[in-house]
Amino acid sequence: MLNAVDAIAQGTRWVYRPGLRRYVFAPIAVNLTVYIALVSLVINRFGGWLDYWMSLVPGWLDWLSWLIWPLFVVCLLLVVFFTFTLVTQLIAAPLYGFLAARVEIVATGREPLDDRGLAKTAVDALGRELVKLGYILPRAIVLFILSWIPGINVLAPFLWALFSAWMMAIAYLDYPMDNNKVSFADMRRRLKRRWWHSLSYGGVVTLITWLPLANLFLIPGAIAGAVLLWDAHYRHGYAPDAATLPP
């Protein structure tokens, strides 16, 4: 049965083959532009941001600075990570949708059900990303607040790990589902029904996004892997006995 690691590994091999490579270069260029912009911003503003937040700490808590400072650093890195992910998804959504559609044709021999034109596909893809953003962002804010509550914050790293995996599953597995006219609500139901495949895939993608520069070249493979998982586990709402994979 196809698992997340195998799907992404095979997907990465697929997208860099002749005939698919041209659908990969544009998303990489978008990711690289966003990556450089955010890294430059963080390098230039990091010290100022930390000084500002540390200035809000009451004087009687100065003795906890050794604990508070690393916590600020971790929170800031999480904000940058989610910003990078959400901005990249929003800008590159139409390109990722085209890539997923082409991979589905080449890897499975089936055309996606999407019969929209090029312009409408691009506009609808941006709208779908805003729907995903509306689902993910409020939950991320709640989790961020919970991360500062004593007692609960001990569980924060585990909660963030689960949330990140779920967020990535929604972000990437949605591309082949959107191409096949699966609604956002139905997509979430299918992901929950196959929760292990969803979370394991999202967890691997989360690890990929944390790899500097390498993530730019692995994310297209994650898109292709999402298509293979869609075909193996989510298309008909049940997992077949064995996934039929391309050679």
Side-chain angles (χ1 to χ4, degrees), residues 152-227:
I152 298 178
N153 57 7
V154 176
L155 300 175
F158 304 101
L159 296 177
W160 275 108
L162 285 173
F163 177 73
S164 298
W166 180 244
M167 182 187 77
M168 290 301 177
I170 286 178
Y172 287 91
L173 286 164
D174 184 55
Y175 289 116
M177 296 203 197
D178 186 31
N179 285 341
N180 286 276
K181 297 184 177 181
V182 176
S183 70
F184 186 72
D186 188 20
M187 180 268 296
R188 297 201 318 273
R189 284 193 293 269
R190 295 188 190 210
L191 294 187
K192 290 177 182 177
R193 206 175 298 136
R194 297 288 175 266
W195 63 270
W196 172 249
H197 296 293
S198 303
L199 289 179
S200 59
Y201 170 82
V204 175
V205 175
T206 299
L207 294 177
I208 288 174
T209 59
W210 279 97
L211 299 174
L213 295 180
N215 54 11
L216 303 180
F217 301 94
L218 293 175
I219 286 176
I223 301 284
V227 174

Side-chain angles (χ1 to χ4, degrees), residues 61-139:
L61 286 178
D62 283 345
W63 63 278
L64 278 178
S65 60
W66 61 273
L67 178 61
I68 296 174
W69 188 88
L71 186 59
F72 282 149
V73 172
V74 170
C75 290
L76 185 56
L77 290 176
L78 285 171
V79 169
V80 171
F81 164 70
F82 280 107
T83 301
F84 170 76
T85 301
L86 295 176
V87 170
T88 300
Q89 292 290 127
L90 188 62
I91 296 175
L95 304 175
Y96 286 154
F98 298 145
L99 174 61
R102 187 59 187 172
V103 169
E104 185 166 357
I105 294 171
V106 174
T108 71
R110 284 189 291 266
E111 294 268 356
L113 299 178
D114 190 358
D115 55 1
R116 296 169 293 183
L118 185 64
K120 183 167 175 38
T121 298
V123 172
D124 288 351
L126 290 176
R128 185 82 163 206
E129 289 304 310
L130 292 176
V131 172
K132 283 190 269 187
L133 185 62
Y135 174 85
I136 292 171
L137 194 56
R139 289 163 175 79

